[in-house]
Amino acid sequence: MVGSSHEALHRIFQKDPTLLTRALQRVLHVPFPEPRQIAALNVDLTEIEPVERRVDTLLRAETDEGTYLFVIESQGKVDDRKRGSWPYYLSYLYEKYRCEPVLIVVTQNSATAKWASRPIRLGFRDWHSLTVRPLVLGPDNVPVIADEQSAVRDVPVAVLSAMTHGRGRQAPAILESLATALQTIDDETAAVFVQFVDSCLADPQAKQMWRDLMTATQYFWRHPLAEQVREEGRVEAKAEMVLHILEWRGIEVPDAVRDRVNACTDLNRLEVWAQRAMHAEDAAELFAGE
């Protein structure tokens, strides 16, 4: 199960490797040759020494012009340590596989995209021993797919659009179009894409809208994410019950108590609090002995 936007931003290329070449050609306008085959490789770059180095996603593309390695890094913020690690990744992979490595950085943040796109030059001012030029996919160049026809035409790109643009005023149109497009592909792939988008939506309103759109779809309820949503719904309902019992009995509920109840994610603990609320004379008695 995908647990974060960082993971989803690169794993979408594992789910649909052909999306990467389409992004290179259509978004970044890089004339990359059409691959005959793309295969996922081991992402572990650990050496014999006890220093672990791991890329996010590593793919090998066979083309008529040669074999290439796609090194895909999901980047959430500016991190100047990448100035050393990214050149290392590319050099190590070339030495190991003897294939040309291509670094792709995927981000949801415009400032991070601008930072990541700057060439990394190692050496002195007038003679660079090594230059790394990442290709960056982010909110400034990934197209906004906000109409159903475009989303249906290329569902993986529509998913990437939702993952990088799913916030603000454009979010409803993007998510609604994608929800319709997902119904045109197989259920298993759609369920994975649902989770990728859910993991990347940082805006609470957009995330709730996405979950509301998805609750009506059959494939969504067969996915592990569905159980998470159902569990969250049960927790929220139980927390509301605890507070409603106190209010119904005329017991004042201070903000501190309300916040603690609403913040609790333990269904069993909320059940205990609900039972205590039936007999408590003060809201603070919910937490007696804790």
Side-chain angles (χ1 to χ4, degrees):
M1 182 172 179
V2 178
S4 68
S5 62
H6 175 278
E7 188 177 359
L9 279 172
H10 67 86
R11 278 192 55 189
I12 186 175
F13 297 106
Q14 297 176 13
K15 180 61 181 175
D16 185 356
T18 62
L19 171 62
L20 187 57
T21 54
R22 296 204 301 281
L24 289 175
Q25 295 164 355
R26 302 178 190 178
V27 178
L28 299 176
H29 306 293
V30 175
F32 191 85
E34 197 66 33
R36 295 190 303 270
Q37 180 182 5
I38 299 181
L41 303 178
N42 192 331
V43 299
D44 193 348
L45 307 185
T46 305
E47 300 180 70
I48 296 177
E49 292 81 3
V51 178
E52 182 177 327
R53 299 181 187 272
R54 188 179 297 271
V55 298
D56 288 335
T57 288
L58 182 62
L59 303 172
R60 179 170 57 201
E62 304 284 351
T63 77
D64 291 334
E65 298 180 15
T67 301
Y68 296 86
L69 297 176
F70 287 129
V71 183
I72 305 172
E73 286 282 280
S74 174
Q75 195 67 30
K77 61 182 180 180
V78 173
D79 184 356
D80 287 331
R81 292 176 299 178
K82 298 297 184 180
R83 177 177 169 83
S85 58
W86 283 344
Y88 170 86
Y89 295 163
L90 301 183
S91 299
Y92 176 88
L93 289 168
Y94 179 78
E95 177 65 21
K96 181 176 181 179
Y97 293 102
R98 291 296 172 175
C99 302
E100 299 295 339
V102 179
L103 176 60
I104 314 291
V105 179
V106 191
T107 182
Q108 296 174 285
N109 183 277
S110 294
T112 302
K114 183 177 181 181
W115 162 80
S117 64
R118 298 171 186 163
I120 299 172
R121 297 186 175 94
L122 304 181
F124 54 91
R125 186 179 60 184
D126 297 323
W127 190 273
H128 301 121
S129 302
L130 177 64
T131 300
V132 175
R133 299 179 60 195
L135 293 166
V136 181
L137 291 168
D140 295 328
N141 56 12
V142 172
V144 174
I145 307 297
D147 64 279
E148 292 181 7
Q149 186 176 4
S150 298
V152 170
R153 189 162 51 244
D154 198 332
V155 177
V157 171
V159 173
L160 187 60
S161 174
M163 291 163 63
T164 54
H165 295 288
R167 63 181 65 189
R169 291 177 297 177
Q170 57 194 353
I174 292 173
L175 299 178
E176 288 174 0
S177 298
L178 178 57
T180 299
L182 288 175
Q183 299 176 40
T184 66
I185 63 176
D186 67 277
D187 289 353
E188 182 180 353
T189 298
V192 175
F193 284 161
V194 165
Q195 189 183 3
F196 285 161
V197 174
D198 188 88
S199 298
C200 285
L201 292 174
D203 185 335
Q205 290 184 328
K207 185 183 287 285
Q208 186 58 53
M209 177 185 178
W210 179 242
R211 292 184 172 185
D212 290 343
L213 286 168
M214 292 299 100
T215 52
T217 61
Q218 183 179 5
Y219 56 75
F220 176 77
W221 292 111
R222 294 206 305 267
H223 196 272
L225 177 62
E227 180 57 33
Q228 175 187 338
V229 174
R230 285 194 290 265
E231 182 69 14
E232 290 174 357
R234 289 194 292 266
V235 166
E236 183 178 352
K238 184 65 70 172
E240 290 179 355
M241 178 185 297
V242 172
L243 298 174
H244 286 164
I245 291 174
L246 291 174
E247 292 167 351
W248 174 72
R249 296 184 59 232
I251 296 176
E252 182 180 356
V253 182
D255 289 341
V257 171
R258 187 179 303 276
D259 292 344
R260 183 171 175 179
V261 171
N262 286 329
C264 181
T265 59
D266 186 332
L267 196 59
N268 292 331
R269 176 167 292 183
L270 287 168
E271 180 61 37
V272 171
W273 290 351
Q275 294 176 10
R276 291 177 180 175
M278 294 294 295
H279 308 286
E281 296 182 2
D282 184 274
E285 292 181 19
L286 293 181
F287 318 125
E290 297 183 8

